[in-house]
Amino acid sequence: MDMETTYFFVGIKGTGMSALALILNDKGCKVVGSDIEKYTFTQRGLEQAGIKILPFDENNITPGMTIVAGNAFGDDQVEIAKAKEMGLKVLTYPQVVEMLIEETTSIGVAGAHGKTSTTGLLAHVLSGVSPTSYLVGDGTGKGIPDARFFVFEADEYRRHFAGYHPDYTIMTNIDFDHPDYFTGIEDVCDAFQELADHTKKALFVWGEDEHLRQLKAKVPVYYYGTAANDDIRAENIKRTTNGSSFDVYLKDEFLGNFTIPLFGKHNVLNSLAVIAVSHMEKIEAKAVASELMTFKGVKRRFSEKKIADMVIIDDYAHHPSEIAATIDAARQQYPAKKIIAVFQPHTFSRTVALMDDFAKSLDLADKVYLTEIFSSIREHDGKISAADLGKKITKGGAVLQLDNMSPLLDYHDDVVIFMGAGDIPKYEQAYEELLSNLSLKNN
């Protein structure tokens, strides 16, 4: 990294971009950026770091800057066009991440689901034992000038991870997501194969994923999971309302007993991947176990609060597999309570492609409500609506409106999970206000 140049981030509020901006700022680089003026949850961290956020304007670009272009922006964006006209260096987000990868022992975390939670967990554990820089998909980033490790989330969308060459790669699963880009599951597998080919030291992959089992690699591949043929196994799993504990074996070698304050089978698997990488880097099992116990989670992944007599959980889940995992986690933590799911479908293309799977996963809840589909800037309006999904759901499926969240007031001493990748937090906030006002009146 050049400490003399100013790095200008186009689209700095994006989750990956904001995290990357924080890393460069921490490393001593000069950082500034631009974005829309609408508030996003990522901007607080940028503001706290003293990073200036400007509205899009070609006059923001000055001589000597290096431009970092967000993945959503092309050469026709006004600032990028001005930078090119001025002959300035324009780097993509993946190109800057690759620069960080080359400086350290790097661990990339890829997968259709679970990569943010796993990246956050790995960053937390390694930070506790050695200087670690990290880039997490919830907008969290930290740069350490002389870091031993760099932990980063590797996103498969539009093959953004194709230019990465990490020392280690964790792959949590392969699934058909992003139907607006990938042609099918074979296309997704091809993208993951490319990342496997670029990995320098070892791969850690979930052993129960049939697609991951078919990947070829020039480096050792370690399968993690709960099956007898997995290299790194969790056995004697105990799931309680306080979290999960399990024994870990590498082949026949006992690595130790580990406890996590997290819920759901998927978090046991994520922890296994973290334990495996740590073991390969000769970090003591006791130190790993100690760090696992203090993990608080990542933003918008099973974030919970209590208002009146209700538990409210906020989760980024926007794919059938993620919905099932989130409901499973809620059942573990709150086995005696009714689980109400409020789901915002994200993009028309995903809703059409996976409609039956969405209905099946949502029906794992006791009652289901939907919001209208959150449409993406990447696609045009579809010919379907949330009501079409609602018809396939047996546990409800009514569509809620932002100005009338009162149907949720029928539930008491229960759990409501708000799930989605769009603006679902608006609906959660509207419900919380209703609930708070009702609680005040009753008291």
Side-chain angles (χ1 to χ4, degrees):
M1 297 293 166
D2 185 351
M3 300 302 167
E4 299 306 312
T5 190
T6 296
Y7 289 88
F8 187 93
F9 282 66
V10 178
I12 196 166
K13 291 189 194 178
T15 49
M17 287 284 278
S18 63
L20 189 57
L22 289 169
I23 290 175
L24 264 60
N25 183 69
D26 285 344
K27 287 170 75 68
C29 300
K30 298 170 195 163
V31 176
V32 65
S34 60
D35 216 312
I36 56 172
E37 293 187 46
K38 181 182 173 185
Y39 183 83
T40 68
F41 73 91
T42 57
Q43 79 185 64
R44 179 163 168 74
L46 295 168
E47 288 164 354
Q48 286 175 327
I51 296 171
K52 194 178 285 186
I53 306 169
L54 305 167
F56 293 126
D57 187 336
E58 65 173 32
N59 295 319
N60 292 333
I61 308 304
T62 57
M65 281 181 167
T66 293
I67 312 305
V68 183
N71 290 329
F73 301 95
D75 290 351
D76 56 348
Q77 195 272 347
V78 291
E79 292 158 329
I80 296 172
K82 182 65 182 273
K84 285 188 172 285
E85 183 187 310
M86 292 170 65
L88 301 180
K89 187 185 287 186
V90 178
L91 300 172
T92 64
Y93 170 88
Q95 283 173 328
V96 180
V97 174
E98 176 67 6
M99 288 163 69
L100 293 167
I101 288 168
E102 289 169 3
E103 291 178 359
T104 52
T105 296
S106 54
I107 305 107
V109 182
H113 324 296
K115 56 183 174 285
T116 296
S117 298
T118 307
T119 308
L121 184 60
L122 181 60
H124 173 81
V125 168
L126 293 183
S127 294
V129 295
S130 230
T132 301
S133 296
Y134 53 83
L135 175 64
V136 188
D138 66 347
T140 310
K142 187 169 182 62
I144 307 288
D146 297 311
R148 173 185 171 189
F149 296 114
F150 174 51
V151 176
F152 68 98
E153 186 168 328
D155 187 9
E156 77 275 15
Y157 184 63
R158 294 194 180 278
R159 285 176 164 75
H160 288 146
F161 61 22
Y164 300 155
H165 296 75
D167 293 298
Y168 302 105
T169 301
I170 293 169
M171 294 184 178
T172 58
N173 44 55
I174 290 179
D175 209 339
F176 179 46
D177 200 3
H178 307 298
D180 59 324
Y181 174 73
F182 289 111
T183 58
I185 193 69
E186 296 82 7
D187 195 21
V188 182
C189 290
D190 182 63
F192 277 82
Q193 180 61 60
E194 200 169 356
L195 180 59
D197 290 341
H198 292 168
T199 301
K200 296 173 189 168
K201 289 185 179 175
L203 279 171
F204 302 89
V205 304
W206 180 38
E208 291 162 57
D209 188 304
E210 60 182 277
H211 303 297
L212 286 174
R213 281 270 178 187
Q214 289 168 14
L215 291 181
K216 303 286 185 283
K218 299 164 192 162
V219 296
V221 180
Y222 296 93
Y223 299 102
Y224 65 87
T226 56
N229 64 339
D230 287 323
D231 302 303
I232 296 129
R233 298 183 313 284
E235 295 187 4
N236 303 318
I237 299 169
K238 294 181 176 65
R239 292 174 55 184
T240 71
T241 55
N242 294 316
S244 305
S245 66
F246 46 93
D247 294 331
V248 177
Y249 290 85
L250 172 59
K251 303 281 175 60
D252 296 325
E253 181 188 355
F254 177 62
L255 299 188
N257 179 266
F258 297 83
T259 300
I260 52 173
L262 305 169
F263 304 92
K265 183 188 174 186
H266 62 290
N267 275 315
V268 173
L269 296 173
N270 296 346
S271 302
L272 269 181
V274 170
I275 292 162
V277 170
S278 303
H279 181 76
M280 294 303 158
E281 277 296 305
K282 300 189 168 40
I283 296 167
E284 281 190 16
K286 281 183 182 176
V288 175
S290 176
E291 294 300 328
L292 285 172
M293 281 293 293
T294 60
F295 185 59
K296 299 284 193 288
V298 295
K299 293 173 193 167
R300 296 223 56 223
R301 300 307 193 285
F302 212 76
S303 303
E304 61 178 304
K305 63 180 75 166
K306 290 180 180 165
I307 297 179
D309 62 349
M310 298 295 290
V311 175
I312 300 167
I313 294 170
D314 172 43
D315 198 280
Y316 190 68
H318 58 284
H319 185 280
S321 303
E322 296 166 349
I323 291 166
T326 300
I327 294 171
D328 171 54
R331 291 263 184 232
Q332 178 181 343
Q333 191 173 6
Y334 299 104
K337 292 182 185 286
K338 197 179 284 184
I339 307 292
I340 297 97
V342 180
F343 175 61
Q344 181 183 58
H346 187 258
T347 77
F348 293 101
S349 56
R350 187 184 281 116
T351 308
V352 169
L354 305 173
M355 189 175 285
D356 289 340
D357 292 332
F358 274 125
K360 187 177 174 185
S361 290
L362 287 164
D363 273 335
L364 295 170
D366 297 301
K367 188 74 174 180
V368 179
Y369 293 90
L370 303 170
T371 75
E372 287 301 346
I373 297 169
F374 183 85
S375 61
S376 165
I377 59 170
R378 298 195 291 254
E379 61 179 1
H380 300 293
D381 284 2
K383 293 176 181 174
I384 61 153
S385 69
D388 295 310
L389 171 57
K391 288 172 191 166
K392 291 180 174 280
I393 292 166
T394 61
K395 300 283 184 67
V399 180
L400 292 170
Q401 301 302 323
L402 188 59
D403 59 359
N404 183 18
M405 300 294 286
S406 58
L408 296 182
L409 296 177
D410 291 344
Y411 302 97
H412 301 284
D413 198 26
D414 291 324
V415 178
V416 183
I417 311 175
F418 287 85
M419 291 181 282
D423 60 5
I424 185 75
K426 286 195 316 192
Y427 292 85
E428 180 184 339
Q429 188 178 356
Y431 168 59
E432 286 173 7
E433 285 173 11
L434 269 183
L435 200 56
S436 297
N437 292 337
L438 188 66
S439 181
L440 285 171
K441 281 179 191 172
N442 292 341
N443 292 330

